[in-house]
Amino acid sequence: MLSQATLKWFTTLAMASLLAACGGGGGESENPSTPLSGEQLFSQADSAGNQFSCSTCHATSENGQGLDEQGLHRPAHSLLNATHRNAFYNGSFSEVIDAVNNCRVDWMDASPYASDSAQWLSLEEYLVSLSDNGDAPEITFNQVAAISYFSAADPNEGHDLFNQTCATCHGQNAAGSNLARTLVASGLSAQQVASKVRSSGPTSSSYFSNLSGGNMPFWSEQRLSDAELADIATYLESINTAQSYTCNASDHPKVGQVAMLSTLSHGVSGRVEILDNCTIEVSEFNYDGGGPDVLFYGAPSSNYNQGGFAIGDTINGPIYNNDTLQLSLDNAEQLDQLAGISVWCRDFSVSFGDGLFN
């Protein structure tokens, strides 16, 4: 009979072997991690936070109409010359790191930077580089009460405004993105939209009061006027009725979106495109076939453990080398929940490679 110690050793070895087959269980890249540059820290979400980054809300520069190089008007002010300002958050902070850390805690669900950390020093260097030596006046932004009048609003104008503002997270034509859900067929009234826009944010905020919850940043009156909000809210109300999608059509707003699979383990890579309401094509697909229970998984966010669902059959065994395959959804409504796709090891809840649709 085997001793307790021997049994424990065999069990540990077996588990280690299974985890190795599934890529290690940690979802880490096969390549050794390297420190992120300041620009990467600005533009990428913190792995320990939510899906937002600095660039979600802040542009690095804007034109005279308040639009960045992508034609978007973001919820927070541009950071051009920001490090030259004397104060931040309506005069509450005198150091830029305090403003950054407030954003990280309130809006990004991330920990504050230490002033001597390598990450902060890299990000600070990048922020300093965002300078044209122009004026750097203090920025004012006020949280104001939601409007309750919409009789003069123009939903057509609201559609155009939405695609310059709210589309930053909710996607063009309210189709949704990896940052926020679709607002098509949301059932929201214009009043509900207006209230959310003016009050959204974490109730735990140490700086803002009267926030109603959630990570969506509220829009100040300086970034979105009441008249503009009325138009946007009326547009969203006009598309709030339930729509029915079928598998033999291509009318879902997510049709045409593309996700690029990252390489996390087992050589996974590829391009994934939504071809129609129920068909997804994976092209240039690579995978070494080494996992025990692997299949494509969809999810409403980048967290495939929450709301994740299987797409197609398992792909155990075969080696894929620059191949093309098609996946079928069970029904067209699954597209509403499809923000990201993963080559997923189901036994150990590990992603071999994944991407978010844009």
Side-chain angles (χ1 to χ4, degrees):
M1 180 177 292
L2 295 175
S3 68
Q4 292 267 355
T6 304
L7 282 170
K8 183 176 180 180
W9 182 85
F10 274 118
T11 301
T12 302
L13 179 62
M15 287 298 295
S17 299
L18 282 172
L19 284 170
C22 231
E28 298 298 327
S29 171
E30 292 177 331
N31 299 319
S33 59
T34 56
L36 296 178
S37 68
E39 184 174 7
Q40 289 173 320
L41 290 167
F42 176 83
S43 61
Q44 297 180 17
D46 192 304
S47 60
N50 59 29
Q51 67 268 41
F52 294 154
S53 66
C54 305
S55 63
T56 303
C57 295
H58 295 278
T60 56
S61 64
E62 294 177 337
N63 64 19
Q65 288 72 50
L67 303 177
D68 66 13
E69 60 183 10
Q70 295 177 277
L72 294 170
H73 181 70
R74 297 180 185 272
H77 290 80
S78 163
L79 293 183
L80 180 68
N81 297 319
T83 55
H84 294 175
R85 296 174 195 159
N86 292 322
F88 306 89
Y89 271 76
N90 296 330
S92 297
F93 304 130
S94 60
E95 300 295 332
V96 65
I97 187 174
D98 296 323
V100 169
N101 281 337
N102 196 87
C103 282
R104 284 178 60 78
V105 172
D106 275 3
W107 307 112
M108 298 158 67
D109 287 341
S111 301
Y113 286 133
S115 60
D116 60 350
S117 67
Q119 286 183 313
W120 165 245
L121 294 174
S122 293
L123 179 59
E124 182 184 34
E125 182 180 18
Y126 176 69
L127 295 176
V128 169
S129 75
L130 301 177
S131 173
D132 63 1
N133 296 316
D135 293 335
E138 288 186 30
I139 298 299
T140 300
F141 60 100
N142 299 324
Q143 183 187 7
V144 294
I147 55 175
S148 58
Y149 49 88
F150 305 94
S151 59
D154 181 350
N156 293 319
E157 182 67 20
H159 170 263
D160 295 339
L161 284 168
F162 181 95
N163 283 340
Q164 290 181 338
T165 55
C166 311
T168 302
C169 291
H170 288 282
Q172 292 288 303
N173 304 319
S177 76
N178 59 296
L179 296 176
R181 69 185 181 94
T182 177
L183 295 176
V184 177
S186 67
L188 295 171
S189 67
Q191 183 64 72
Q192 288 174 313
V193 171
S195 296
K196 186 68 173 175
V197 167
R198 291 303 195 208
S199 69
S200 181
T203 56
S204 59
S205 173
S206 60
Y207 180 84
F208 296 104
S209 59
N210 303 316
L211 298 180
S212 58
N215 286 110
M216 170 182 156
F218 72 85
W219 286 74
S220 70
E221 62 178 348
Q222 285 81 12
R223 298 299 287 175
L224 192 70
S225 70
D226 281 349
E228 290 170 329
L229 176 54
D231 289 343
I232 291 171
T234 302
Y235 159 64
L236 290 176
E237 186 177 69
S238 75
I239 62 170
N240 73 359
T241 54
Q243 298 186 29
S244 178
Y245 299 104
T246 61
C247 279
N248 58 353
S250 301
D251 54 348
H252 194 284
K254 288 190 178 179
V255 170
Q257 291 189 0
V258 173
M260 302 301 296
L261 295 174
S262 61
T263 303
L264 298 177
S265 192
H266 289 283
V268 164
S269 64
R271 180 182 186 274
V272 186
E273 181 176 358
I274 301 172
L275 296 184
D276 60 37
N277 291 358
C278 288
T279 307
I280 297 172
E281 181 179 82
V282 185
S283 59
E284 304 169 19
F285 181 53
N286 297 291
Y287 166 50
D288 68 10
D293 184 20
V294 180
L295 70 170
F296 285 93
Y297 236 50
S301 71
S302 59
N303 186 346
Y304 297 91
N305 282 307
Q306 294 185 359
F309 55 92
I311 303 175
D313 298 325
T314 57
I315 53 173
N316 302 338
I319 297 173
Y320 295 87
N321 184 13
N322 205 33
D323 288 320
T324 297
L325 54 151
Q326 289 195 345
L327 310 174
S328 296
L329 298 176
D330 292 339
N331 53 69
E333 285 71 28
Q334 282 189 315
L335 274 186
D336 292 333
Q337 303 301 315
L338 189 64
I341 190 165
S342 169
V343 178
W344 187 249
C345 176
R346 189 162 47 185
D347 277 354
F348 293 95
S349 298
V350 174
S351 178
F352 290 172
D354 52 65
L356 295 166
F357 286 102
N358 288 289

